[in-house]
Amino acid sequence: MAAIGALLAVFGGILIPVGNHFIEKTIKKEAVIENGTIAYENWIVPGCPIYRQFWVFDVQNPEEVMEKGSAPILEQKGPYTYRMRYMPKENITEHEDGTLSYLQPNIMLFQPNMSVGPESDTVTTVNFAVVAAPALFKSVLIQALMNIWIKSSKSKFLQTRTVKEILWGYEDPFLKKIPVVKLDKLVGIFYPYNKTVDGPYRIYTGKDDINKKGTILTFNNSRTLHYFKSYCDMINGTDASSFHPFVSKSEQLYFFSSDACRSVSARFDREETVKGILLYRFSIPPSAFASSLTNPDNICFCTDKEISKPVYLSMPHFLSGSKILFQFVKGMKPSVEEHTTFLDVEPVTGFTLSFSKRLQINLLVRPNSKIAALKNIKHFFYFPILWLNETATIDDEKADFFRSKVTNKIKLLYFLQWALIIIGSLMFLGILIVFFMCKDKRPK
């Protein structure tokens, strides 16, 4: 019995490296983005629905803002929810260097049952063209002409538009007055995003090096963005849908967002359990969007070059922002729980099973005595237009599949390992104790 107990304990000990090797080999095989693997199936089309929710800021005191230059009092309206990334990736091409290239369709499908109202709901917000055009064209003559066209179109500093127009575009009356044939007269925060494609992307499959799995090699056929200087212009990490297997709490997870036109990193925050699966929550730290005075590493994100219009990104409701951001705008209510971007990553496989990407889009407003619609503005400030939450969580069916194929098997293996060690050790020690007790009681 003692020998059997010792063998059980030894066998349990042997199972630890053998079992770990088996788990590692299986996970690495299924994590490669290659036709026939679990990773590839969920890469073509995400295994759970992805939604993008919008909260649009509505100005409550428009007359005071335009006539007296008062601080706008904002109230968020939303969510207005759209489903996205439900179409498979296009133009998928395998390359000999262990990479894949593809295009990501950008199609947004409105979800009425997940929204507070229809897309025809109206909000009062800043007039994009009136504010952006003078910032882009600073010539005195051109601004004088702009003032004439703005007045003739009856455009003002603020405008009332439908949610659909603000998001996806509308024909601007001021731009229609400009006698330039090739000038695009459509304006919208995400125009012309809908029904376009993102990319091309080229990523590592992980076949040659599993630690590179999902890492973006090029975006738009380039390793850099051509927006910023130095390391700020680099494309780092994955698209955040997955990372390399066996993620540790001590590392930073890098991912690239084409919406934000930059790469960011997330750090371990805490453990979370979602539908019975243990996950590591990685959150974007406040330093990611901090001023270069607070975070010197952000200095190369600071540029005077206007890429399209004076749009600036922040965390929703200016979370972790400088106090000056709140000075000329009222109604901001930042919340760490509601407005922080996070990724819930399953550490063994590296799959992201839940996430929320949260960003706020702001327009820089400047005083301008040459433009009648802007003459009452007293200070430059960042005008919040909307904030978004791109989110997804593994559904019940996929969670059951994941537990049965991954989590439960790993738990069973670990249970078997320690059960054999504990039972075998107890048997061995128990028999030894009984043996010596009986030995001491034998007649001499």
Side-chain angles (χ1 to χ4, degrees):
M1 289 294 290
I4 292 173
L7 286 173
L8 288 176
V10 170
F11 184 62
I14 292 173
L15 265 184
I16 293 177
V18 172
N20 290 346
H21 175 74
F22 174 76
I23 291 172
E24 184 175 343
K25 184 178 180 180
T26 304
I27 293 297
K28 286 182 176 180
K29 178 183 176 182
E30 291 298 327
V32 172
I33 305 174
E34 186 178 44
N35 200 354
T37 66
I38 295 174
Y40 187 83
E41 180 183 341
N42 286 277
W43 175 78
I44 295 289
V45 179
C48 51
I50 299 176
Y51 299 100
R52 182 174 285 186
Q53 303 169 301
F54 296 98
W55 284 263
V56 187
F57 290 108
D58 185 32
V59 180
Q60 303 299 297
N61 58 336
E63 298 303 323
E64 292 181 3
V65 173
M66 290 189 289
E67 295 175 6
K68 301 178 182 179
S70 301
I73 300 173
L74 303 179
E75 183 179 284
Q76 69 175 27
K77 295 178 69 173
Y80 296 92
T81 306
Y82 295 79
R83 187 169 179 188
M84 61 186 301
R85 295 185 192 166
Y86 58 91
M87 299 291 291
K89 292 177 173 62
E90 299 176 354
N91 290 15
I92 299 172
T93 305
E94 296 184 15
H95 302 282
E96 294 181 356
D97 60 352
T99 63
L100 282 175
S101 58
Y102 64 94
L103 295 172
Q104 176 67 61
N106 293 327
I107 300 178
M108 308 291 282
L109 183 63
F110 185 60
Q111 307 290 300
N113 61 325
M114 300 176 68
S115 304
V116 295
E119 291 179 294
S120 57
D121 281 356
T122 59
V123 294
T124 299
T125 185
V126 66
N127 191 315
F128 310 145
V130 169
V131 170
L136 295 174
F137 304 98
K138 297 181 172 64
S139 165
V140 175
L141 176 60
I142 293 178
Q143 292 204 0
L145 291 172
M146 282 184 189
N147 190 43
I148 296 172
W149 294 325
I150 291 171
K151 284 182 177 180
S152 64
S153 67
K154 298 181 180 179
S155 298
K156 299 180 180 180
F157 171 51
L158 300 180
Q159 62 176 345
T160 299
R161 292 281 174 186
T162 66
V163 171
K164 186 176 183 179
E165 287 176 321
I166 291 170
L167 293 176
W168 313 120
Y170 59 90
E171 193 172 40
D172 186 81
F174 153 50
L175 296 180
K176 284 175 64 179
K177 294 287 183 179
I178 302 177
V180 179
V181 178
K182 294 184 179 181
L183 179 67
D184 194 346
K185 310 300 172 69
L186 294 176
V187 179
I189 295 300
F190 293 99
Y191 171 79
Y193 177 91
N194 205 5
K195 298 181 181 179
T196 62
V197 292
D198 195 17
Y201 288 87
R202 188 163 178 171
I203 65 168
Y204 289 101
T205 64
K207 186 175 181 179
D208 296 333
D209 184 354
I210 195 63
N211 291 319
K212 289 185 176 181
K213 190 262 291 189
T215 300
I216 299 170
L217 176 61
T218 61
F219 171 68
N220 287 340
N221 301 312
S222 176
R223 279 291 300 129
T224 58
L225 296 168
H226 310 295
Y227 293 159
F228 308 108
K229 296 178 181 179
S230 185
Y231 52 84
C232 291
D233 202 50
M234 295 174 63
I235 299 168
N236 298 315
T238 72
D239 65 356
S241 62
S242 67
F243 299 90
H244 62 81
F246 308 107
V247 172
S248 69
K249 296 178 181 179
S250 60
E251 63 183 302
Q252 294 186 57
L253 298 183
Y254 286 86
F255 64 94
F256 169 71
S257 170
S258 61
D259 295 323
C261 296
R262 61 168 290 186
S263 301
V264 292
S265 64
R267 297 173 181 172
F268 177 77
D269 185 358
R270 62 181 184 265
E271 291 185 356
E272 290 283 339
T273 300
V274 175
K275 299 185 179 180
I277 304 170
L278 176 66
L279 306 175
Y280 288 175
R281 173 161 294 185
F282 286 80
S283 301
I284 293 182
S287 59
F289 293 102
S291 161
S292 58
L293 297 175
T294 304
N295 180 10
D297 289 341
N298 282 348
I299 187 64
C300 52
F301 285 117
C302 301
T303 173
D304 292 330
K305 183 175 69 173
E306 305 285 2
I307 297 168
S308 57
K309 51 182 175 279
V311 172
Y312 293 81
L313 301 181
S314 69
M315 292 186 183
H317 286 254
F318 293 138
L319 174 66
S320 303
S322 169
K323 291 181 180 180
I324 197 172
L325 296 173
F326 299 87
Q327 189 172 347
F328 305 113
V329 175
K330 307 299 179 185
M332 298 291 98
K333 300 175 182 178
S335 165
V336 173
E337 195 63 31
E338 293 181 16
H339 301 143
T340 299
T341 292
F342 68 83
L343 310 168
D344 288 339
V345 180
E346 200 285 313
V348 177
T349 60
F351 294 158
T352 302
L353 302 188
S354 175
F355 72 90
S356 281
K357 183 176 73 176
R358 293 153 171 169
L359 290 172
Q360 181 169 297
I361 296 176
N362 313 279
L363 200 62
L364 177 60
V365 175
R366 295 183 176 98
N368 193 320
S369 59
K370 301 179 186 66
I371 307 293
L374 305 176
K375 69 178 182 179
N376 291 328
I377 298 170
K378 298 176 182 178
H379 310 275
F380 85 89
F381 66 97
Y382 298 93
F383 198 114
I385 299 169
L386 59 85
W387 71 274
L388 64 88
N389 178 27
E390 187 177 311
T391 185
T393 300
I394 188 171
D395 59 30
D396 293 339
E397 182 181 351
K398 291 289 184 180
D400 288 340
F401 176 82
F402 192 90
R403 287 194 300 268
S404 65
K405 295 294 184 180
V406 180
T407 309
N408 291 346
K409 288 185 177 180
I410 292 174
K411 286 181 178 179
L412 179 61
L413 181 60
Y414 287 161
F415 173 79
L416 182 61
Q417 290 170 353
W418 288 105
L420 290 172
I421 292 172
I422 293 171
I423 292 172
S425 299
L426 290 175
M427 286 179 61
F428 180 75
L429 293 174
I431 293 299
L432 286 181
I433 292 171
V434 171
F435 173 77
F436 284 111
M437 289 178 63
C438 293
K439 180 181 177 181
D440 292 340
K441 293 181 180 179
R442 284 184 300 171
K444 296 180 181 178

